[in-house]
Amino acid sequence: MRTTIAEDRLNDLILGSGKIVIFGHENPDGDSIGSAVGMYHYLTALGKHPHIVINSRLPEYFNFIIPAGSISYYNEDKSRCDGCIAAADLLIFLDMNGANRTGEVSQAIEAAMAKVDAPRSVLIDHHLNPQTKPFDVVISDTEVSSACELLYHVLLDQPGVRGDVANLPKECAEALLTGILTDTNNFANSVYPSTYLAVSQLQARGVDRDAIYNEVFRSYSEQRMRLMGHMLQDNMRCLKQGVAYFTLSIADKQKFDFVRGDSEGFVNLPLSIKNIRMTAFFTEEKDFIKVSLRSKGNVDVNDFSHKYCNGGGHKNASGGRLYMPLAEVPGYFESKVEEFFK
Ligand SMILES: [Mn+2]
């Protein structure tokens, strides 16, 4: 169900704004970049000059949908990002339930929004528990596949689009379909009747689904495939509660020439084992352990992440962070699994 605060004002806010900044969440994924780039093309076609600000770079296989010069990365060019944010009269947040999900850049956003003449702001998202303050417009729907799908429905409702996908720029349609494909893991999860309607229309707009599939799911290195084999053969553990988990150390990343995006999708792999109903994937970063959680059916990994992993997300797909050495993660996780399924 879609919850909306002042959706009818979205069009007015956009038309009344000159400098628009679009934000993606920290550790951006296909849905984050797809929705940001989709919105970028929609605004550009309206004669606006939007800019996208994201905390850090994406895996290279998303480059095919990123227009040249459309994005600034906060960890590479803080002053440009700060300048954009300070000058903006509209901030648009996509695929996140609050501005704090933008990562380090959120400090500059908070500062801008605390000003007397603060920019207006819009949140469009499909995660649980969206924040309503301090946004002027909030459009939230958790029963869609992705932020890209929600954005598709929202854009179709805009006065200038008049419910006809032909009125969306083709590049916009391509970006939106990319996010739907990646957030559903190629239609394996979170697929609703509305998802197929959106996809059908986006394909009818002339988007080449097979080309996107090849760009995103068939562009990895040989070393990535070998790393996957190592994870499954040597690192995966299956617990009696129907839970499987594995860890990826910094040493393994070095050994397999790891590049950003290489572990994408790993967390889903053990779910194809018959009795596994929850999976966890722990990646060692410099200052913390990144946690990815997936589940089948009624196992609520959003709840698990809130309780034990300093995070959240969706019922069947969540993330989080742990602050402990990687060697301590198995003991910690196994004890929490015992507690959770008691
Ligand atoms: Mn998403």
Side-chain angles (χ1 to χ4, degrees):
M1 196 190 64
R2 197 191 294 181
T3 330
T4 290
I5 299 175
E7 181 173 351
D8 56 330
R9 287 189 53 214
L10 177 62
N11 190 52
D12 295 338
L13 281 181
I14 288 172
L15 294 185
S17 301
K19 294 181 177 155
I20 304 175
V21 178
I22 305 164
F23 294 97
H25 61 70
E26 193 174 24
N27 300 315
D29 57 12
D31 193 29
S32 176
I33 192 63
S35 53
V37 170
M39 182 58 104
Y40 176 92
H41 286 297
Y42 172 74
L43 295 173
T44 303
L46 289 176
K48 303 292 169 186
H49 300 281
H51 195 66
I52 301 170
V53 170
I54 300 186
N55 217 51
S56 55
R57 272 180 198 274
L58 290 113
E60 281 182 8
Y61 49 75
F62 287 120
N63 285 351
F64 76 105
I65 56 162
I66 300 178
S70 62
I71 306 187
S72 295
Y73 301 96
Y74 196 71
N75 67 349
E76 294 173 17
D77 195 349
K78 283 189 175 53
S79 61
R80 175 145 197 235
C81 294
D82 286 341
C84 279
I85 295 166
D89 41 26
L90 181 62
L91 309 179
I92 300 180
F93 300 87
L94 299 160
D95 195 29
M96 64 184 104
N97 59 5
N100 56 338
R101 300 275 173 203
T102 50
E104 230 191 312
V105 61
S106 64
Q107 288 168 20
I109 297 168
E110 265 175 44
M113 291 177 89
K115 287 189 306 189
V116 186
D117 57 340
R120 314 313 288 272
S121 57
V122 172
L123 180 86
I124 300 174
D125 184 43
H126 72 125
H127 294 85
L128 297 165
N129 311 316
Q131 291 170 14
T132 50
K133 282 181 184 157
F135 307 103
D136 295 289
V137 170
V138 174
I139 304 171
S140 157
D141 191 344
T142 56
E143 292 180 10
V144 289
S145 62
S146 51
C148 279
E149 184 194 325
L150 176 56
L151 182 57
Y152 166 81
H153 298 302
V154 169
L155 292 183
L156 236 63
D157 287 344
Q158 296 308 299
V161 181
R162 300 187 304 278
D164 186 350
V165 72
N167 293 323
L168 288 180
K170 187 174 170 192
E171 296 79 7
C172 169
E174 186 179 48
L176 296 180
L177 188 53
T178 301
I180 295 173
L181 277 187
T182 53
D183 244 27
T184 61
N185 188 23
N186 198 32
F187 304 107
N189 46 258
S190 318
V191 177
Y192 296 84
S194 58
T195 312
Y196 294 113
L197 284 174
V199 171
S200 167
Q201 290 300 304
L202 291 168
Q203 278 198 257
R205 179 68 186 84
V207 178
D208 187 344
R209 193 206 82 100
D210 295 353
I212 297 176
Y213 183 82
N214 284 333
E215 290 282 0
V216 177
F217 292 97
R218 289 175 170 165
S219 300
Y220 294 112
S221 65
E222 178 185 335
Q223 281 300 83
R224 187 257 189 182
M225 188 63 74
R226 297 196 184 283
L227 172 64
M228 187 192 286
H230 170 61
M231 291 284 110
L232 296 174
Q233 177 69 31
D234 306 318
N235 292 9
M236 184 175 73
R237 287 181 221 182
C238 295
L239 309 178
K240 64 175 189 295
Q241 292 87 351
V243 176
Y245 74 97
F246 38 27
T247 58
L248 172 58
S249 64
I250 288 173
D252 270 340
K253 288 188 205 175
Q254 284 162 352
K255 190 171 158 204
F256 289 90
D257 303 328
F258 186 91
V259 295
R260 193 182 306 105
D262 268 359
S263 58
E264 201 59 49
F266 281 11
V267 66
N268 295 306
L269 295 170
L271 280 182
S272 56
I273 303 170
K274 185 170 173 125
N275 294 317
I276 294 299
R277 52 188 176 148
M278 171 176 160
T279 63
F281 180 51
F282 301 97
T283 307
E284 185 181 21
E285 304 289 349
K286 207 167 104 253
D287 305 314
F288 61 93
I289 307 294
K290 180 173 172 252
V291 183
S292 299
L293 300 163
R294 297 291 183 275
S295 64
K296 291 177 193 162
N298 279 330
V299 178
D300 187 346
V301 289
N302 177 56
D303 186 32
F304 189 93
S305 187
H306 267 288
K307 281 184 176 142
Y308 310 120
C309 301
N310 309 298
H314 309 282
K315 185 176 160 197
N316 294 131
S318 276
R321 285 184 177 193
L322 293 176
Y323 301 92
M324 61 180 73
L326 189 65
E328 288 174 20
V329 167
Y332 174 82
F333 178 67
E334 290 188 23
S335 73
K336 295 309 172 192
V337 164
E338 206 140 290
E339 199 175 303
F340 190 70
F341 287 99
K342 207 156 44 190

